């Protein structure tokens, strides 16, 4: 058995003595001396418990005392982990140096944040200075303070209950500026991603449940879900209680489901960016002879000659460009982060050297922004940013990039930038919705974890680790049995995204706990089928027959699974049941016929096929099964006639060439058979074409031998095909 980790020793084994020994060794190995006194205090209290028990004194409160020792040991373990991080990782070293000179006591922080609101109000009424100058000075001082507070919170050790209470009240206080609240929530989220602290996490939960201000509530919700503990609920009962409290509200459950889908879309950002660069941008670049105006896309004067000589090409290019633009906007509206690719190259401004600036809400009063807004084009920049549906991080990038080139832009371009008409119309309606707020914040986070120069020093929730992703939070066992249709929607999305293994892993756990719905069992059965785990799919589908679930869907899937398992008689039976309800369903007719043919009942299997072939003589799917039926029924001449028609059409697939090769081989037309087999292996990407052909011959050997092929001939034909 592998040696237990410190975390497992605390949370799973619940062994204080073992945990302390492991922790002391770890501290020695890492040369960490900050918490020696804490270790000694816990050891002394543990020794007292041991001595009491050794003298036959059983403490009636012993279990409570022991649990308290476990909690103290966990807090010590978390602090040691943080101490190691702040010694080795540059961003944390910087934050620790800031924290050493920063007063993070509750009273000081509350007074500073509340004073800022008052000072801003007073500065705007200032008589001694111009109002703008006074406000700018106050904002600059406060920006430095908030950066220091962010740094201090990032490296703060485990919180006490009192500190949790203080920050829970502070973050919902109307006396604190909303942007400050948002930045503190981000600081707590970043801290929790690296080292879990139940009191910091519960602070975010309290904010999420107590506030109706969507900007704060949604940022806190993201923080809660991205930092869900794994195993700590075994020690902290408050965690499970908090999740149950969150899931009581139907609105919160809906938002949790929406957030999960948004996070999964975030994981696809780089794939979407590749698609944009490959399929969309080349068209836009190719058609750069068009120019943007307030009234839309118009052709430049330089290409007016094309309009005279080839008006059709102009219309075609215009249509193609508009189509690509519509596709990109459709991607954005569906939740894709279409701006990542462009803005990913705009994070090198000095503004982003400051860690907290990656998470600070966008504001024109931000000192760095205000300094570039004072010029003649300041109002134009303001209009452009106000219209754009960009996350806060990209808005800052846009301001700095635009301010550096705006004096060089032609007047016409400035007019278009200032109007932002098309973008504004589609974005303004979304800006206040909870979903939009979450999406913009997720994009801020994603940019940090993908683009920050020192991102590898931070625990990344968007990265795979042990085949799991932190961002897939609904897979956490804390949610088992608490989410209903909200979870089913996520599972359907995963299925459509072909994440079949993730679906199966999640739903099998719910089935084991007895909390899986019929919908989930059906989705799991389909996922098992896609993974080739047909026996498991069959058992799940059989269990659904005994309940009131949609019998038509279950029987169709049962028929498909039985067919895949090679149980053709039973598959035909289920297909027939489905056909009784849907007699005109072409797919069911074909599947039923093929199942009958494969079961050996060729005569009945071909009846419906002959009718369909008569009605449509060009239906290649029908002809394909008829030809196979002839082969199964040992009528190679009839099969050859049909297969020749198929392979000479433009609709032949790889299996047609294989089966045509079988027929030619049976009829001793070896040269033609070899050509067919070669076409078959060429159309497959198997690592070994020889093994592929051998496997197919083995799979169909029963039919081949029935048609007179000898086993030695199979070996010969493989060698002939491979040496040609």
């Amino acid at each position: 058995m592998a040696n237990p980790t410190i975390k497992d020793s605390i949370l799973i084994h619940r062994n204080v003595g073992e945990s302390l020994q492991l922790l002391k060794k770890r501290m020695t190995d890492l040369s960490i001396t900050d918490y020696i006194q804490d270790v000694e205090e816990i050891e002394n209290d543990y020794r007292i418990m041991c001595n009491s028990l050794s003298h036959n004194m059983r403490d009636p409160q012993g279990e409570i005392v022991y649990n308290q020792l476990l909690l103290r040991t966990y807090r010590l373990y978390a602090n040691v982990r943080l101490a190691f991080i702040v010694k080795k990782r540059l961003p944390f070293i910087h934050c620790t140096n800031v924290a050493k000179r920063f007063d993070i006591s509750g009273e000081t922080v509350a007074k500073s944040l509340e004073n800022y609101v008052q000072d801003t109000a007073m500065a705007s009424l200032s008589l001694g200075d111009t109002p703008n100058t006074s406000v700018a000075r106050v904002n600059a001082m406060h920006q430095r303070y908030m950066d220091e507070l962010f740094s201090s919170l990032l490296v703060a050790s485990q919180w006490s209950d009192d500190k949790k209470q203080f920050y829970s009240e502070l973050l919902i206080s109307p006396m604190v500026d909303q942007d400050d609240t948002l930045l503190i929530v981000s600081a707590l989220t970043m801290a929790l991603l690296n080292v879990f602290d139940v009191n910091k996490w519960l602070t975010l939960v309290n904010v999420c449940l107590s506030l109706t201000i969507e900007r704060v509530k949604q940022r806190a919700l993201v923080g809660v879900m991205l930092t869900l503990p794994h195993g700590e609920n075994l020690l902290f009962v408050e965690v499970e209680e908090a999740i149950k409290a969150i899931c009581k509200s139907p609105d919160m459950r809906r938002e949790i489901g929406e957030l999960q889908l948004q996070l999964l879309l975030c994981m696809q950002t780089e794939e979407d960016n590749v698609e944009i660069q490959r399929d969309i941008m080349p068209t836009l670049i190719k058609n750069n002879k068009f120019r943007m105006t307030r009234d839309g896309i118009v052709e430049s004067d330089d290409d007016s000659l094309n309009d005279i000589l080839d008006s059709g090409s102009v219309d075609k290019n215009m249509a193609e460009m508009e189509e690509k633009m519509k596709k990109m906007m459709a991607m954005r509206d569906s939740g894709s982060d279409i701006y990542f690719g462009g803005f990913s190259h705009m994070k090198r401004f000095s503004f982003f050297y400051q860690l907290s600036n990656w998470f600070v809400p966008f504001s024109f009063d931000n000192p760095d922004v205000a300094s570039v807004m004072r010029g003649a084009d300041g109002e134009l920049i303001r209009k452009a940013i106000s219209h754009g549906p960009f996350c806060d991080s990209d808005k800052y990038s846009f301001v700095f990039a635009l301010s550096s080139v705006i004096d060089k832009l032609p007047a016409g371009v400035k007019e278009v930038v200032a109007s932002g008409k098309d973008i504004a119309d589609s974005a303004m309606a979304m800006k206040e919705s909870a979903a939009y707020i979450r999406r913009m914040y997720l994009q801020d986070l994603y940019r940090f974890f993908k683009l920050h120069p020192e991102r590898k020093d931070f625990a990344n929730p968007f990265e795979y680790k042990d085949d799991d992703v932190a961002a897939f939070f609904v897979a956490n066992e804390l949610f088992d049995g608490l989410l209903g249709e909200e979870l089913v929607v996520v599972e359907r999305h995963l299925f459509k995204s072909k994440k079949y293994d993730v679906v199966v892993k999640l739903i099998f756990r719910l089935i084991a706990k007895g909390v899986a719905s019929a919908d989930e069992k059906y989705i799991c059965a389909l996922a098992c089928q896609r993974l080739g785990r047909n026996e498991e799919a069959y058992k799940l589908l059989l269990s659904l027959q005994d309940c009131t679930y949609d019998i038509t869907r279950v029987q169709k899937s049962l028929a498909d699974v039985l067919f895949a398992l090679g149980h053709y008689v039973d598959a035909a039976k289920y297909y027939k049941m489905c056909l009784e309800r849907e007699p005109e369903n072409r797919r069911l007719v074909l599947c039923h016929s093929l199942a009958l043919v494969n079961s050996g009942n060729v005569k009945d299997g071909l009846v419906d096929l002959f009718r369909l072939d008569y009605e449509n003589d060009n239906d290649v799917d029908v002809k394909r099964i008829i030809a196979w039926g002839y082969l199964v029924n040992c009528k190679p001449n009839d099969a050859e006639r049909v297969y020749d028609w198929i392979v000479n059409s433009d609709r032949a697939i790889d299996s047609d060439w294989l089966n045509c090769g079988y027929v030619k081989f049976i009829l001793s037309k070896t040269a033609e058979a070899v050509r067919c087999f070669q076409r078959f292996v060429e159309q497959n990407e198997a690592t070994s074409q020889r093994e592929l052909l051998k496997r197919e011959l083995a799979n169909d050997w029963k039919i081949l031998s029935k048609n007179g092929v000898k086993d030695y001939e199979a070996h010969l034909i493989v060698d002939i095909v491979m040496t040609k």
Side-chain angles (χ1 to χ4, degrees):
M1 181 182 294
N3 293 327
T5 64
I6 301 173
K7 183 177 178 180
D8 286 348
S9 184
I10 299 170
L11 300 179
I12 299 175
H13 302 159
R14 300 177 65 82
N15 190 327
V16 172
E18 179 183 69
S19 304
L20 288 172
Q21 292 303 314
L22 292 171
L23 196 52
K24 285 171 65 177
K25 183 178 184 307
R26 177 70 58 81
M27 292 172 68
T28 301
D29 293 343
L30 300 177
S31 301
I32 294 174
T33 58
D34 294 352
Y35 297 100
I36 294 295
Q37 184 176 346
D38 293 332
V39 175
E40 292 174 351
E41 288 177 359
I42 298 173
E43 277 188 322
N44 287 336
D45 291 344
Y46 181 68
R47 196 175 298 113
I48 291 171
M49 286 198 76
C50 291
N51 289 337
S52 297
L53 188 61
S54 67
H55 289 85
N56 300 322
M57 292 184 290
R58 289 184 175 273
D59 185 351
Q61 302 296 314
E63 186 173 4
I64 295 174
V65 175
Y66 189 83
N67 286 337
Q68 286 298 318
L69 287 176
L70 275 174
L71 291 172
R72 289 166 62 191
T73 304
Y74 178 85
R75 287 168 55 82
L76 176 60
Y77 155 72
N79 282 334
V80 169
R81 279 192 62 211
L82 182 62
F84 173 69
I85 290 172
V86 301
K87 282 180 66 176
K88 297 293 183 180
R89 303 180 191 175
L90 285 175
F92 291 89
I93 292 172
H94 169 74
C95 290
T96 302
N97 291 333
V98 171
K100 286 177 181 177
R101 60 178 185 269
F102 186 82
D103 185 357
I104 202 171
S105 61
E107 183 179 345
T108 304
V109 172
K111 186 176 180 181
S112 297
L113 298 184
E114 291 169 2
N115 283 349
Y116 168 66
V117 176
Q118 298 172 10
D119 292 345
T120 303
M122 293 299 295
S124 64
L125 301 173
S126 174
L127 298 177
D129 263 329
T130 60
N132 286 343
T133 304
S134 299
V135 171
R137 187 183 303 120
V138 171
N139 286 336
M141 292 174 60
H142 186 65
Q143 192 270 346
R144 287 193 294 273
Y145 180 84
M146 288 305 299
D147 178 62
E148 291 176 351
L149 176 58
F150 182 96
S151 299
S152 301
L153 289 173
L154 185 62
V155 296
S157 58
Q158 297 282 292
W159 277 6
S160 64
D161 290 342
D162 288 341
K163 188 155 285 188
K164 175 192 71 176
Q165 183 67 27
F166 163 73
Y167 274 95
S168 294
E169 293 174 358
L170 179 74
L171 294 175
I172 63 174
S173 170
M175 302 299 293
V176 176
D177 184 78
Q178 194 178 115
D179 284 356
D180 292 347
T181 301
L182 291 168
L183 188 59
I184 293 172
V185 167
S186 289
L188 296 181
T189 299
M190 293 297 292
L192 285 162
L193 281 170
N194 289 282
V195 178
F196 182 74
D197 179 345
V198 69
N199 282 329
K200 293 189 185 86
W201 187 79
L202 288 172
T203 299
L204 292 182
V205 171
N206 290 334
V207 172
C208 187
L209 292 176
S210 303
L211 275 180
T212 57
I213 302 170
E214 288 295 347
R215 289 182 72 209
V216 181
K217 175 185 174 184
Q218 296 305 323
R219 188 174 286 214
L221 178 62
V222 172
V224 169
M225 295 305 154
L226 279 182
T227 61
L228 275 174
H230 292 270
E232 278 79 2
N233 55 298
L234 298 171
L235 187 60
F236 301 105
V237 295
E238 307 99 306
V239 171
E240 199 165 331
E241 292 170 357
I243 293 298
K244 287 179 179 177
I246 290 173
C247 291
K248 276 183 181 178
S249 163
D251 288 339
M252 286 299 294
R253 290 198 302 271
R254 175 181 51 77
E255 290 181 355
I256 287 170
E258 291 174 352
L259 171 57
Q260 181 61 85
L261 291 177
Q262 289 176 313
L263 280 164
L264 292 173
L265 284 169
C266 257
M267 298 294 296
Q268 298 173 203
T269 294
E270 289 184 313
E271 296 173 23
D272 292 340
N273 186 49
V274 169
E275 181 181 353
I276 290 170
Q277 297 300 321
R278 183 189 64 227
D279 300 334
I280 296 176
M281 293 310 296
T283 300
L284 301 184
I285 294 171
K286 181 182 72 175
N287 291 316
N288 63 3
K289 61 190 176 184
F290 297 110
R291 57 189 175 88
M292 299 292 294
T293 73
R294 294 185 64 178
D295 301 316
I297 304 171
V298 299
E299 188 191 7
S300 62
D301 292 337
D302 294 340
D303 294 288
S304 58
L305 185 60
N306 282 343
D307 194 17
I308 299 169
L309 299 177
D310 187 4
S311 60
S313 69
V314 175
D315 293 339
K316 180 182 177 182
N317 290 340
M318 175 70 83
E320 185 180 15
M321 186 174 181
E322 290 181 345
E323 180 186 350
K324 296 299 183 181
M325 287 292 291
K326 286 178 181 177
K327 181 178 180 181
M328 193 156 65
M329 292 303 102
M331 289 175 67
R332 184 199 67 188
D333 294 342
S334 67
S336 295
D337 185 356
I338 65 170
Y339 301 113
F340 175 77
F343 282 107
S344 63
H345 305 289
M346 299 166 61
K347 303 298 178 186
R348 296 184 183 134
F349 297 104
S350 59
F351 175 85
F352 293 106
Y353 297 167
Q354 194 166 299
L355 183 64
S356 63
N357 281 345
W358 288 78
F359 311 97
V360 69
F362 180 81
S363 171
F364 288 109
D365 293 326
N366 183 286
D368 294 278
V369 174
S371 65
V372 302
M373 295 289 289
R374 297 192 185 106
D377 293 309
E379 188 58 30
L380 188 154
I381 296 174
R382 181 184 294 272
K383 288 180 179 178
I385 297 299
S386 299
H387 289 314
F390 310 124
C391 66
D392 289 328
S393 178
D394 287 353
K395 285 182 178 179
Y396 283 114
S397 295
F398 199 2
V399 165
F400 302 131
L402 193 56
S403 65
S404 65
V405 300
I406 197 158
D407 59 333
K408 303 178 184 69
L409 295 178
V413 176
K414 285 187 179 183
E415 187 180 7
V416 174
V417 170
S419 72
K421 184 175 180 291
D422 294 331
I423 294 176
D425 290 343
S426 59
M428 291 306 291
M430 302 185 295
K431 282 196 172 182
E432 300 305 317
S433 72
Y436 181 85
I437 291 168
R438 281 195 307 272
R439 188 202 301 178
M440 294 299 102
Y441 181 50
L442 288 174
Q443 290 181 9
D444 285 326
L445 289 172
Y446 190 82
R447 278 146 180 72
F448 174 82
F449 286 109
K450 286 293 179 182
L451 304 173
H452 191 277
E454 295 168 328
R455 58 190 176 278
K456 293 190 181 300
D457 289 326
F458 296 83
N460 185 347
F462 300 109
E463 277 186 352
Y464 282 89
K465 185 179 181 182
D466 300 328
D467 298 324
D468 287 323
V469 180
F472 184 35
F473 63 84
V474 294
N476 194 304
E477 294 189 35
L478 287 165
F479 285 107
D480 289 356
L482 297 179
L483 300 175
E485 181 59 27
E486 299 84 11
L487 184 55
V488 174
V489 170
V490 174
E491 291 159 349
R492 286 183 185 134
H493 173 84
L494 290 167
F495 183 87
K496 290 177 182 177
S497 303
K498 300 183 180 180
K499 308 290 186 185
Y500 306 125
D501 53 338
V502 177
V503 172
V504 170
K505 181 179 178 181
L506 172 58
I507 298 180
F508 266 133
R509 190 183 76 220
L510 300 178
I511 291 171
K513 289 189 173 184
V515 294
S517 66
D519 270 326
E520 288 173 313
K521 290 179 181 178
Y522 184 70
I523 294 170
C524 189
L526 295 180
C528 284
Q529 187 181 358
R530 300 298 191 279
L531 293 170
R533 295 163 61 173
N534 291 300
E535 290 287 358
E536 292 167 296
Y538 177 64
K539 291 176 183 177
L540 285 168
L541 292 167
L542 276 183
S543 70
L544 289 172
Q545 276 199 130
D546 301 328
C547 66
T548 57
Y549 197 70
D550 187 338
I551 193 64
T552 300
R553 294 167 68 188
V554 171
Q555 287 183 346
K556 283 181 182 177
S557 298
L558 268 170
D560 292 339
V561 168
L562 286 165
F563 189 96
L565 289 168
H567 302 327
Y568 301 118
V569 174
D570 290 334
K573 181 181 71 174
Y574 277 105
Y575 282 130
K576 185 176 181 181
M577 291 178 188
C578 297
L579 275 170
E580 288 171 356
R581 285 187 289 270
E582 302 178 55
E584 300 303 319
N585 188 316
R586 178 177 174 277
R587 176 186 176 274
L588 290 176
V589 172
L590 296 179
C591 290
H592 178 242
S593 298
L594 186 56
L596 287 173
V597 168
N598 284 352
S599 70
N601 188 358
V602 179
K603 180 181 177 181
D604 290 342
L606 294 181
V607 170
D608 285 329
L609 295 175
F610 286 143
R611 175 179 57 81
L612 291 175
D613 191 46
Y614 176 77
E615 293 172 353
N616 182 3
D617 188 45
N618 290 314
D619 193 325
V620 70
D621 292 323
V622 172
K623 289 187 181 296
R624 187 173 286 128
I625 302 174
I626 289 174
W628 180 251
Y630 284 142
L631 186 57
V632 171
N633 211 25
C634 298
K635 294 182 178 180
N637 288 301
D638 291 332
E640 181 187 32
R641 173 175 48 80
V642 183
Y643 276 124
D644 281 345
W645 183 92
I646 294 174
V647 297
N648 287 317
S649 73
D650 58 356
R651 290 168 286 175
I653 58 177
D654 59 348
S655 61
D656 295 327
W657 288 104
L658 175 68
N659 295 337
C660 189
Y662 288 161
V663 171
K664 302 293 185 182
F665 190 30
I666 291 165
L667 293 173
S668 299
K669 298 180 180 180
T670 307
E672 293 181 56
V674 168
R675 285 195 293 271
C676 288
F677 288 140
Q678 287 175 336
R679 287 292 297 271
F680 166 69
V681 295
E682 287 167 2
Q683 291 184 24
N684 280 270
E685 297 179 355
T687 53
S688 172
Q689 294 181 340
R690 175 182 291 273
E691 291 303 315
L692 171 65
L693 186 56
K694 285 171 62 177
R695 184 169 63 249
E696 293 299 334
L697 286 165
N699 289 340
D700 297 322
W701 182 246
K702 185 177 179 180
I703 295 170
L704 292 173
S705 62
K706 188 179 174 183
N707 276 276
V709 178
K710 306 301 181 184
D711 56 356
Y712 78 89
E713 293 177 316
H715 298 306
L716 292 174
I717 196 66
V718 171
D719 284 334
I720 293 170
V721 171
M722 291 298 108
T723 55
K724 283 288 184 178

